[in-house]
Amino acid sequence: DVDLNKRLFLTSANSINVTDLKFEYDTNPIGLDIQNPQFSWAIESDKKGTLQSYYQILISDSPEMLNKDIADIWDSGRVNSSKSSGVIYKGLPLTSRKRYYWKVKVWDSENVSSDYSKSSFFEMGLLNQTDWRAEWIGYPASWAGRVLYFKKSFTIIKPVQSARIYISGIGYYVLHINGKKVGNHVLDPGTTDYSKQVLYATYDITDFLGKENAIGVSVGPGWYGVPKLRLQAEITYNDGTTEMIPTATNFDWKVSDGPIIRSSIYDGESFDARE
C-alpha cells in the first residue's frame, strides 16, 4: 500500500504537459516574414494551481535533430520565467523559405519538469525583396471595373516533394489550381497604402498538383482600381531540383475578362453567365 501511494503521488506530481504550441499566433504556420517572431504554449496538469517557473525552447532545422534534442538553430537554455506567450525568438537569423522545427519543456514552482512537448514547425516566407523573381503584371485601363482572369499552364514530369505559391493580387484576388480554390482567404490581400506596402500570402499547393496543371487567378479592382497580379510558384522535386513559375511581362501568362463584367467595393458584382 505504501509503494502504491508513493507511485500515485509521483504520477500526480509529474503530470505536466505542454500543449497548443503556436508561433506568431498560429499553429504550424508557413510564409512568415518576421525575424524576431514570438512563441506561445499552454500547460496542462492534474495538480491544481500548477504554475510555470522555467521554460526551455529547442529549435532545429530538421525533425531528426530535434528528436535527439539537438538545437542547431536556438537553444533558449533554462529560462526563469512564468511567461508562456509573447516569448521572443533570439536565435540565429532566419532564412527565406526554410522550415524550422521546435519544442518546449517547462518546470513548475516545485522544480518538477514536463517532458518536451510534441514538435511543431514554422516556415519562413520571402524575407528579402531580392527573393522575388516575379513581376507585377496588369492589363489595359480600358478594362477598368472588370475582374481579370490570369492563367498559366505547366507540366510536371518528376515527383514533387513540396510546392508553394507566394501571391499578391490588387485590389483583391482568388487563386485556383486545376479548378480548385486554394486556401480559405477572402478579400485578400489586406488593404494597405499600396504606395508604401503591399501584403502577400503563402500557400502550400503540393496536393493540388498533377502532371498537367493550370494556375488561375481572378483579380478584381478593389481599392486599387486596375487589377494587377504578382505571383511566384516554387516547386521542389524529390531529386533536389527546383522550378520557379513567376509572373512576368514576357506574355507568358494569358489574361482575359470573364463573367464578372463589373466589380465594385460599394456596389457588388455584375455577373454575365454568357461570358
Side-chain angles (χ1 to χ4, degrees):
D1 290 340
V2 174
D3 288 343
L4 176 60
N5 289 333
K6 185 178 180 181
R7 286 198 299 272
L8 289 173
F9 173 77
L10 289 174
T11 301
S12 176
N14 286 276
S15 58
I16 306 170
N17 294 308
V18 182
T19 63
D20 197 24
L21 273 64
K22 292 186 183 298
F23 188 82
E24 280 297 306
Y25 312 102
D26 201 359
T27 302
N28 296 335
I30 65 173
L32 297 171
D33 59 0
I34 180 172
Q35 281 284 6
N36 297 109
Q38 54 184 305
F39 303 84
S40 68
W41 56 85
I43 300 170
E44 295 179 350
S45 175
D46 293 337
K47 185 178 178 181
K48 292 183 178 180
T50 297
L51 298 175
Q52 173 186 301
S53 293
Y54 296 86
Y55 69 80
Q56 184 173 12
I57 299 172
L58 302 182
I59 304 179
S60 300
D61 61 5
S62 75
E64 293 79 17
M65 294 184 69
L66 189 65
N67 287 338
K68 297 176 182 178
D69 298 341
I70 299 174
D72 60 332
I73 303 301
W74 186 43
D75 182 346
S76 70
R78 191 170 183 260
V79 179
N80 182 196
S81 173
S82 62
K83 290 184 67 174
S84 59
S85 64
V87 178
I88 303 299
Y89 172 77
K90 297 179 181 179
L92 296 174
L94 300 171
T95 303
S96 295
R97 306 177 178 88
K98 191 171 182 62
R99 177 171 289 196
Y100 299 91
Y101 301 85
W102 68 288
K103 61 184 179 182
V104 60
K105 70 185 299 183
V106 301
W107 289 258
D108 69 8
S109 57
E110 297 177 354
N111 207 33
V112 175
S113 72
S114 69
D115 292 329
Y116 275 108
S117 65
K118 293 182 179 180
S119 64
S120 187
F121 70 81
F122 60 93
E123 183 178 299
M124 305 309 293
L126 305 181
L127 300 175
N128 308 298
Q129 286 294 330
T130 54
D131 294 324
W132 284 94
R133 300 285 297 278
E135 303 174 25
W136 285 104
I137 57 175
Y139 288 85
S142 59
W143 287 3
R146 299 180 75 100
V147 171
L148 300 187
Y149 296 79
F150 298 83
K151 180 183 178 181
K152 169 66 176 176
S153 299
F154 60 99
T155 301
I156 289 177
I157 60 174
K158 296 188 289 186
V160 173
Q161 179 182 9
S162 64
R164 300 287 183 267
I165 274 185
Y166 307 94
I167 179 174
S168 184
I170 49 177
Y172 298 117
Y173 71 88
V174 179
L175 169 65
H176 289 79
I177 303 289
N178 297 329
K180 297 180 181 179
K181 185 179 185 299
V182 179
N184 60 1
H185 296 193
V186 295
L187 298 180
D188 237 9
T191 305
T192 56
D193 181 345
Y194 300 126
S195 67
K196 296 179 180 179
Q197 183 184 49
V198 179
L199 305 178
Y200 72 96
T202 305
Y203 297 99
D204 182 347
I205 61 165
T206 310
D207 294 337
F208 285 81
L209 300 179
K211 181 179 179 181
E212 301 295 333
N213 302 279
I215 301 171
V217 189
S218 52
V219 186
W223 293 110
Y224 188 69
V226 179
K228 286 187 177 180
L229 174 66
R230 194 180 196 186
L231 178 152
Q232 191 161 299
E234 300 186 5
I235 303 170
T236 301
Y237 296 104
N238 285 348
D239 63 7
T241 61
T242 60
E243 181 179 4
M244 185 178 293
I245 303 171
T247 51
T249 56
N250 59 3
F251 303 102
D252 197 32
W253 284 68
K254 296 180 179 179
V255 66
S256 70
D257 55 1
I260 302 177
I261 59 175
R262 185 164 53 253
S263 176
S264 167
I265 289 293
Y266 295 107
D267 301 323
E269 298 175 346
S270 296
F271 189 95
D272 186 344
R274 296 171 298 178
E275 299 293 326

